[in-house]
Amino acid sequence: REGPADAKPVRLTSASPCRAKRIERTADGGATLVWEGLDLGDECAAVTVRATVRFAADGSSKWSLDVRNQSLRRGLFETRYPILPRVVGDGAADCLLPRSDTGARLVRGLKRGRSHRFGCMAYYPMMIAFLQGEAGLYVAAHDGEARLKALEVDKELGVCFSTPIENGGLPGLAASSPRYEATVAAFRGDWWEAARLYRAWALTTKWAAKGPIVSRTDYPKRMAEIPVWLNIHGSPAEVSNVMTRARALFPNFDCGIHWHVWQHSKHDINYPEYFPEQEGTDACFAYLKSIGEEALPYTNGRLWSTNLVSYPYVLPYVCKKADGSPYVEQYGKVTPPMSPMCPATPQWDGTLNDFSARVLALGAKSIFLDQIGACSACTCYDANHGHPVGGGTWYFDGYQRLLAKTHALYSSKGAFITTEGSGEEWMNVVDGYLCVTQRQPDDVPFFHAVYNGYTTYFCSPENQDDDLVSFRAAQTRELLWGQALGWYHPLILDQPDKCDLLRKLGEFRQANLDFFAYGTLVGEVKFKEAIPAVKFAWLGRKPFYMWAFKDYPLSPTIHGEMPSVFGYVWKSGTAGRTVAFLANVGKESREVAFEFGGCVRRRTLAAGEIVCEELK
C-alpha cells in the first residue's frame, strides 16, 4: 500500500509481471518458488517474493512466504498465502468448518456460493479440514505467537490465510513476511483426527504452557467445579433472592450467577465507568459467599463509551484505522457507540486492572471481562501506542501482559477470571470461557477435544419455552462434551421438570469431575446398530430475555435431530481411567452395542438415563 494519500494500492499476484521466475529445490524435498523483480507500476522490479513449501518429519507440509520490498514509496500492507483454490468440488466433501464457541461444526457436503471469514483471537481456531470417506485434508496456521490474521473460505471453496503486516504500509519498515508457517497435511480418519492434529500443536503454545488445570497452583478450581449457571440483569436484592431459591432447588452443588448491572448504569452504557456500584452490592457478594453460591459480575474488557465526558481524554489510546480515525462499535440501536481500546497502551492496562481490583475489593470472588475471547483483534495504526502499526503480535502481547497482572491478583485471592467466547489464546491468563452462541445440530466439540482439562467452558444456551425433549437433548449433549451448563434466565426456576433434569445433570457432572472438568475428551462412541433419531426445536432467542431493549431481532428457531442415544469416550485427569459416557435422550428405553478393544459391549439405557461404562 502507498505512502502518498493520492496513490492507489497495488495488488501483486503470482501472475503479475516480474523480471524472472524460478524454482529452488530444498533438501527435504520441498521447493521455493521465486518471483524476482515484481513490477509495482510506478517502480519497476521493486519487490521479490519467495514462497516456500517444506516437509516436516511427520509428513506435513509447511508453507511460508517472504516478501522483499525495496520500494521507496510503498509499504507492504497485507499478504494472502497460501491460496488453495477450489480445494473440493461443490458438495463433494464434508468440512470441519470453524464455529464460534464450540470451535467447529461438521458441514455435510459443503456447498459453494457462500464465503466465510474467521478472525484471529476470536471464537475460532485457525484451522479447517475437508473429509471424503476416510481421507482428510487439514489446513491450519500453527502460529504460537498469535499474529493478527484471518482464515478465509471463498465462494468457490478455496482457502487462504490473510495477514495484515507488521508496520503495514510503511515504506522500508514493513515486515518482510507473515512470519509464521501454515500447515497442510493429509490424514486418515474422521474429524476427531483433525482435532488431534490441532491438539498436538496447540499444547506446545504459550497459552497451554502452564499445563492441565488439575495441577496448576494458580488456577482456582471453583471455576471448573460449578456445574450450573444462571444469568440476570438485576439489583442486589433480586440476585440474593434468586440464588436463595437456587440453593434450595439444587442443594447438592453450588450454582453461579452471571450478574449484569451491579453497577450504577444500565448494560452497555458508560463503560468502563462502573462505579459507584448499586447500594448493597458488597452485602450481596457476602451473602452469596455465606450460602456457597457464586456471583460473577459483568465488566467489559475492550470498550470505552463515546458518550462519556472522559472519552476525548482517552481518544489517544483507542485503536485507530489506517486513516487515523478511531474504530467505533455499537451494540443495539439505543446504546451509545463504543471504541475498542489498544491493549498495548499502559493507559488501558491501568484502567482495566484498576476496575478489576475495585470489583475484587467489593467482595467478589470472580469477574467477567467481556469480549476479549470473542472479538477479532483490530489492526491499529496509531504509531504513538508503542507497537508496530497494523499487524503483528502486539495485540496478543498487550493483552497477555495486561491479563497476567489481573490473573495474578485474582488467583492470589482464590478468585477467577472469565471472558466471553472461546478465544484460545488467553487460557493461561483467563480461567473460563462463556459460550453463548445458539447451538446448531451440526456443532461438534472441537475445542473440548483439544483443550478440555486445560480450561473450562461454561454455558449451554436454551430458550425458556423449549419443550422438555429439546431441552434435554441440548443440555445432555453439552454435559457429555464437558461443558458446565447454564446461563439460564431465573424464570427456569419456575419450571419443575427442567429443574429436576438440571439437578440430575449437575449432580452427574459433580460425580465425574475427574473427567468433565479435568479429563481429556478422546472420541465418540460408535454403535453397531443404527440409532433412531429424536427431533427437537431449539426456539429462537428473545434474545437472552433481558436484552430486548437493544432492538436485536429474534433469532430463528433451530429444527433438527440427533441420535436418541449417543456417547463419548473420556480419559480421567488423575486416575488413569478410560470410560464411555452414554446418554439416552429419547422417550423409550433402548439397548445399544458398541465395540472397544475388540470386545462388543451391550447396554440397556432407560429413557433419560446417563450411564458410565468403564473401558479396559
Side-chain angles (χ1 to χ4, degrees):
R1 188 170 277 198
E2 71 285 354
D6 59 345
K8 294 182 179 180
V10 173
R11 178 188 174 103
L12 298 177
T13 75
S14 57
S16 297
C18 64
R19 187 172 58 226
K21 301 177 185 179
R22 66 180 183 274
I23 298 177
E24 299 173 356
R25 301 294 179 182
T26 59
D28 60 4
T32 297
L33 286 70
V34 182
W35 290 263
E36 197 170 274
L38 284 158
D39 192 348
L40 288 175
D42 50 1
E43 292 178 282
C44 296
V47 179
T48 295
V49 175
R50 299 173 63 86
T52 299
V53 182
R54 69 177 185 87
F55 292 95
D58 62 3
S60 63
S61 59
K62 306 292 184 180
W63 300 57
S64 60
L65 190 71
D66 180 72
V67 181
R68 305 294 172 87
N69 177 31
Q70 297 177 323
S71 171
L72 300 177
R73 296 185 69 244
R74 299 180 183 273
L76 183 63
F77 193 74
E78 180 182 80
T79 63
R80 297 169 62 83
Y81 181 82
I83 298 174
L84 307 177
R86 197 71 183 274
V87 176
V88 294
D90 188 22
D94 299 337
C95 181
L96 186 64
L97 194 68
R99 164 82 159 98
S100 55
D101 285 332
T102 63
R105 59 193 182 102
L106 186 59
V107 181
R108 300 292 185 181
L110 183 67
K111 299 285 188 179
R112 60 187 289 274
R114 179 186 174 189
S115 61
H116 304 268
R117 187 179 191 277
F118 307 102
C120 187
M121 277 165 288
Y123 296 104
Y124 314 107
M126 291 291 96
M127 176 285 320
I128 190 170
F130 298 90
L131 304 125
Q132 287 182 326
E134 290 296 312
L137 183 71
Y138 170 89
V139 183
H142 289 176
D143 179 12
E145 296 181 281
R147 292 166 179 80
L148 276 67
K149 68 178 72 65
L151 168 61
E152 298 183 3
V153 183
D154 64 34
K155 295 179 180 180
E156 297 298 324
L157 305 183
V159 174
C160 80
F161 289 101
S162 62
T163 308
I165 293 300
E166 184 176 317
N167 283 316
L170 299 182
L173 291 179
S176 60
S177 70
R179 297 185 179 177
Y180 67 90
E181 290 182 315
T183 295
V184 181
F187 65 90
R188 185 171 298 279
D190 56 15
W191 76 263
W192 290 91
E193 185 59 30
R196 293 182 191 106
L197 290 172
Y198 195 81
R199 176 182 170 89
W201 164 76
L203 297 190
T204 69
T205 61
K206 176 178 181 177
W207 52 86
K210 291 182 178 179
I213 58 178
V214 71
S215 57
R216 279 177 54 182
T217 58
D218 70 332
Y219 190 92
K221 303 302 190 293
R222 184 166 172 79
M223 175 69 247
E225 297 180 3
I226 295 175
V228 172
W229 286 85
L230 300 170
N231 178 30
I232 193 171
H233 285 210
S235 67
E238 290 171 318
V239 172
S240 297
N241 291 338
V242 165
M243 296 311 283
T244 300
R245 293 187 64 196
R247 179 82 273 171
L249 286 166
F250 309 117
N252 296 326
F253 55 79
D254 299 342
C255 291
I257 188 165
H258 193 190
W259 186 5
H260 299 74
V261 298
W262 57 271
Q263 71 273 22
H264 65 91
S265 58
K266 294 181 180 180
H267 188 64
D268 280 357
I269 295 175
N270 298 341
Y271 293 167
E273 296 182 6
Y274 304 103
F275 294 90
E277 71 279 5
Q278 288 194 56
E279 184 177 356
T281 295
D282 53 350
C284 181
F285 285 132
Y287 171 68
L288 264 57
K289 182 180 178 181
S290 73
I291 64 172
E293 305 291 71
E294 185 72 46
L296 175 66
Y298 176 96
T299 65
N300 192 291
R302 290 180 66 245
L303 300 176
W304 202 294
S305 297
T306 63
N307 64 303
L308 291 171
V309 173
S310 57
Y311 181 74
Y313 298 96
V314 301
L315 189 57
Y317 318 118
V318 167
C319 286
K320 305 296 196 315
K321 300 176 185 178
D323 63 4
S325 64
Y327 290 94
V328 177
E329 303 171 2
Q330 188 159 9
Y331 298 88
K333 297 177 181 178
V334 299
T335 56
M338 295 176 274
S339 287
M341 303 300 293
C342 181
T345 62
Q347 289 79 9
W348 182 238
D349 182 320
T351 298
L352 187 146
N353 276 287
D354 175 69
F355 71 66
S356 297
R358 293 178 71 182
V359 167
L360 191 63
L362 287 175
K365 297 292 288 182
S366 57
I367 192 171
F368 182 77
L369 298 170
D370 199 9
Q371 296 194 323
I372 293 175
C375 295
S376 298
C378 298
T379 50
C380 179
Y381 292 90
D382 193 327
N384 296 317
H385 290 177
H387 63 74
V389 300
T393 67
W394 60 268
Y395 189 93
F396 173 71
D397 296 338
Y399 264 118
Q400 281 283 338
R401 286 192 300 268
L402 181 161
L403 291 172
K405 299 175 187 176
T406 320
H407 192 266
L409 174 62
Y410 268 68
S411 64
S412 71
K413 305 294 184 181
F416 57 83
I417 296 173
T418 66
T419 189
E420 177 198 7
S422 49
E424 59 193 322
E425 295 86 357
W426 317 118
M427 63 180 57
N428 59 319
V429 286
V430 166
D431 303 307
Y433 291 101
L434 176 73
C435 303
V436 301
T437 51
Q438 187 175 17
R439 302 298 193 262
Q440 303 288 333
D442 59 5
D443 288 338
V444 294
F446 179 84
F447 269 145
H448 300 80
V450 174
Y451 289 121
N452 207 87
Y454 282 75
T455 191
T456 300
Y457 300 106
F458 67 110
C459 179
S460 48
E462 52 77 45
N463 185 296
Q464 205 64 39
D465 298 324
D466 285 347
D467 61 53
L468 186 60
V469 170
S470 300
F471 183 76
R472 181 192 293 122
Q475 305 306 303
T476 305
R477 185 179 75 162
E478 301 264 328
L479 172 73
L480 266 58
W481 286 355
Q483 193 86 357
L485 305 179
W487 222 54
Y488 309 120
H489 190 282
L491 288 174
I492 201 169
L493 303 181
D494 296 324
Q495 299 185 31
D497 52 355
K498 291 184 179 179
C499 286
D500 288 343
L501 176 63
L502 289 179
R503 188 181 307 111
K504 172 184 173 182
L505 297 181
E507 291 174 355
F508 191 86
R509 187 178 192 276
Q510 292 306 92
N512 294 283
L513 285 174
D514 200 25
F515 297 95
F516 297 135
Y518 303 120
T520 302
L521 177 58
V522 176
E524 194 169 352
V525 175
K526 296 182 179 180
F527 297 104
K528 304 290 286 185
E529 297 94 13
I531 303 294
V534 58
K535 295 183 178 180
F536 58 80
W538 297 333
L539 302 182
R541 313 303 289 277
K542 292 192 175 177
F544 307 126
Y545 303 93
M546 67 289 290
W547 292 354
F549 72 90
K550 288 186 171 186
D551 300 320
Y552 283 173
L554 178 67
S555 59
T557 295
I558 303 300
H559 294 277
E561 60 181 41
M562 68 172 66
S564 56
V565 179
F566 52 84
Y568 293 90
V569 178
W570 285 81
K571 288 185 178 179
S572 65
T574 63
R577 298 168 59 205
T578 300
V579 306
F581 290 100
L582 309 175
N584 181 0
V585 297
K587 296 181 179 180
E588 301 174 355
S589 64
R590 192 161 305 280
E591 182 182 3
V592 295
F594 66 98
E595 186 174 346
F596 186 86
C599 177
V600 176
R601 297 164 179 264
R602 294 190 177 275
R603 191 71 183 256
T604 299
L605 282 77
E609 186 178 14
I610 307 173
V611 299
C612 175
E613 178 85 9
E614 193 86 23
L615 302 176
K616 302 295 185 182

